[in-house]
């Protein structure tokens, strides 16, 4: 299980700088100051960092991965993803009347309804989640070439969602 520890500390200068725990030189833990540069890189590289985290990269292997993991696991971001999954279901049913409706692969969404509902419920619930699963669901929602939006082999979206649901479990 991966745990990211971030906190506001009061350095020797009393700056109140944010510090984060990262793995340094193999298995040693180190305390690193989060710099403005780290925050900017995290914002600019969010998509590639998400892909790394979804693939299983250790969040404490770099400051930017740790920062992004912290962002992904925030309750507000999890709720955003949960609402996104709920909107996808509504779009596929044709029950939304929005001009901003994004066309989804309705057949795949209907086939994966149970998994989409389970993912939306899990993300909206309190309690810990593993960043790998959050990143995988985020990628599904944002990848316009993925199985949520484009025709693909039957069951691919359902399989991807099941893998993401399994990856959400912090004890897996």
């Amino acid at each position: 299980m991966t745990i990211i520890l971030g906190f506001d500390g009061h350095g020797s200068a009393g700056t109140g700088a944010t510090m984060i725990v990262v793995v340094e030189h193999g298995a040693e833990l180190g305390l690193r100051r989060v710099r403005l540069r780290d925050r900017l890189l995290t914002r600019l590289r969010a998509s590639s960092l998400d892909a790394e985290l979804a693939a299983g990269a250790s969040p404490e292997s770099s400051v930017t991965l740790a920062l992004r993991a912290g962002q992904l696991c925030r309750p507000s971001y999890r709720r955003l993803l949960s609402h996104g999954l709920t909107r996808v279901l509504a779009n596929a049913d044709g029950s939304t009347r929005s001009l901003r409706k994004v066309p989804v692969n309705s057949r795949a969404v209907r086939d994966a309804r149970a998994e989409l509902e389970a993912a939306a419920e899990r993300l909206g619930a309190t309690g810990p989640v593993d960043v790998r699963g959050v990143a995988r669901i985020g990628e599904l929602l944002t990848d316009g070439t993925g199985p949520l939006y484009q025709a693909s082999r039957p069951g691919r979206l359902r399989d991807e969602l099941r893998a993401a649901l399994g990856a959400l479990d912090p004890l897996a």
Side-chain angles (χ1 to χ4, degrees), residues 30-138:
L31 191 60
R32 298 273 310 274
R33 181 182 310 263
V34 176
R35 294 176 164 68
L36 177 60
R37 178 180 189 272
D38 298 320
R39 293 181 193 282
L40 289 172
L41 281 174
T42 300
R43 182 177 292 256
L44 292 172
R45 295 188 55 227
S47 182
S48 65
L49 293 171
D50 291 357
E52 288 181 52
L53 291 166
S58 174
E60 57 278 308
S61 61
S62 76
V63 173
T64 54
L65 281 171
L67 286 171
R68 186 61 182 157
Q71 293 169 351
L72 293 179
C73 289
R74 285 185 186 141
S76 59
Y77 187 79
R78 290 171 51 186
R79 281 191 303 274
L80 182 72
L81 290 180
S82 179
H83 291 306
L85 294 173
T86 303
R87 281 192 308 272
V88 162
L89 285 164
N91 283 347
D93 292 342
S95 60
T96 59
R97 303 234 188 264
S98 171
L99 295 175
R100 299 182 321 194
K101 181 176 167 182
V102 176
V104 295
N105 181 349
S106 297
R107 174 174 287 157
V109 170
R110 283 191 300 272
D111 290 345
R113 172 173 285 288
E115 289 80 7
L116 284 162
E117 289 172 345
E121 183 178 330
R122 181 68 179 95
L123 287 167
T126 59
V129 292
D130 192 297
V131 69
R132 293 173 302 133
V134 178
R136 289 180 84 157
I137 291 171

Side-chain angles (χ1 to χ4, degrees), residues 20-32 58-62:
I20 201 155
V21 176
V22 294
V23 175
E24 294 180 339
H25 310 295
E28 296 178 25
L29 293 178
L31 191 60
R32 298 273 310 274
S58 174
E60 57 278 308
S61 61
S62 76

